[in-house]
């Protein structure tokens, strides 16, 4: 297994964003993919309210963040891909969505270029982004993110995760958008649950595919 390399992940997603211009896939198809389903279920489980401030970690080109901004007070999208962030900004301006900001930041350094403590964050979202971190970094990052969360607060993670032996589901990796690449470090679901329970959260898990789940943690 190759070690975690944030710059490498950033370059990978810069290239992907440049290639599709942030437009995503065909909209009809996007609605039905497993990654899109993970995002939709995770956002539903957040139960966003008008007074919520949402932090979207690994926001990519911002589609989920922009949609969420219509449901709450403020959204902050952070990512390590500057190209994705730039496309997200353009998209939010084009759509006249003013209560969303996009800033460089990582799971392991969320406040890299923006002081998030001023936003009074009540909800945290991570869709298909956390699996790019190796396990020990996930634990540390989740702990740090829960420190930014005001109580009562909620976190939802929709991502690739292993519920049993992943080799049993190799024929379904493609549909989950998983290619077992060397920038991917999916965890066992039990490990993610353990990390969140260690922070004192009440945790619920919904499996939506043999290797994809949505975890909700209440604080
Ligand atoms: C598959 S995309 C998902 C984007 C978005 N959440 C969505 O569902 O449309 C994964 C995103 O995670 C970001 N990412 C990877 N590692 C990260 C890290 N350590 N901190 C923050 N973002 C990261 C990537 O740059 C990329 O934009």
């Amino acid at each position: 297994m190759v070690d975690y390399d944030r710059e490498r992940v950033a370059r990978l997603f810069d290239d992907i964003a440049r290639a599709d211009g942030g437009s995503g896939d065909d909209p009809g198809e996007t609605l039905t993919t497993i990654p899109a389903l993970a995002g939709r279920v995770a956002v539903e489980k957040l139960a966003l309210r008008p007074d919520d401030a949402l932090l979207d970690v690994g926001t990519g080109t911002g589609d989920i963040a922009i949609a969420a901004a219509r449901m709450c007070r403020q959204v902050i999208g952070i990512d390590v891909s500057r190209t994705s962030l730039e496309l997200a900004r353009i998209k939010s301006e084009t759509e006249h969505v003013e209560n969303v900001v996009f800033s460089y930041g990582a799971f392991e350094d969320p406040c890299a270029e923006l002081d998030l403590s001023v936003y009074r964050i009540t909800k945290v979202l991570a869709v298909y982004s956390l699996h790019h971190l190796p396990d020990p970094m996930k634990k540390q990052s989740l702990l740090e993110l829960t420190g930014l969360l005001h109580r009562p607060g909620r976190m939802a993670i929709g991502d690739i995760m292993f519920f049993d032996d992943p080799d049993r589901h190799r024929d379904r990796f493609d549909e989950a958008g998983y290619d077992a690449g060397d920038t991917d470090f999916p965890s066992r679901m039990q490990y993610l649950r353990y990390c969140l329970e260690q922070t004192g959260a009440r945790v619920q898990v919904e499996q939506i595919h043999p290797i994809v789940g949505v975890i909700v943690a209440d604080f």
Side-chain angles (χ1 to χ4, degrees), residues 31-68:
L31 285 175
T32 56
T33 63
I34 296 298
L37 179 64
R40 202 162 63 237
V41 173
V43 171
E44 274 168 19
K45 288 194 180 287
L46 280 179
L48 290 170
R49 296 172 358 167
D51 56 342
D52 276 326
L54 168 70
L55 174 65
D56 181 22
V57 189
T59 192
T61 54
D63 292 298
I64 295 176
I66 291 168

Side-chain angles (χ1 to χ4, degrees), residues 1-4 8 133-135 162 178 180-186:
M1 185 184 277
V2 175
D3 285 341
Y4 174 73
R8 187 155 171 265
L133 266 67
D135 275 2
F162 299 145
Y178 178 50
D182 57 17
T183 58
D184 298 319
F185 306 98

Side-chain angles (χ1 to χ4, degrees), residues 73-165:
R73 171 170 60 84
Q74 177 71 52
V75 177
I76 308 103
I78 61 171
D79 204 287
V80 296
S81 162
R82 292 190 189 275
T83 305
S84 299
L85 290 167
E86 195 45 38
L87 290 168
R89 281 187 203 106
I90 292 168
K91 215 178 281 181
S92 64
E93 281 165 21
T94 307
E95 297 184 25
H96 306 288
V97 179
E98 290 174 1
N99 58 335
V100 60
V101 291
F102 293 104
S103 177
Y104 181 89
F107 279 103
E108 61 274 31
D109 189 9
C111 297
E113 295 187 1
L114 187 66
D115 178 7
L116 297 173
S117 65
V118 302
Y119 286 98
R120 204 179 160 78
I121 291 163
T122 49
K123 305 273 165 81
V124 173
L125 177 70
V127 179
Y128 263 68
S129 46
L130 186 63
H131 75 268
H132 293 295
L133 266 67
D135 275 2
M137 287 182 69
K138 287 192 188 96
K139 188 171 182 216
Q140 183 55 37
S141 299
L142 290 173
L143 186 61
E144 184 155 350
L145 287 173
T146 61
L148 288 168
L149 198 55
H150 282 255
R151 273 58 170 164
R154 180 171 285 185
M155 183 183 296
I157 299 166
D159 210 336
I160 301 161
M161 58 190 74
F162 299 145
F163 293 80
D164 57 3
D165 179 0

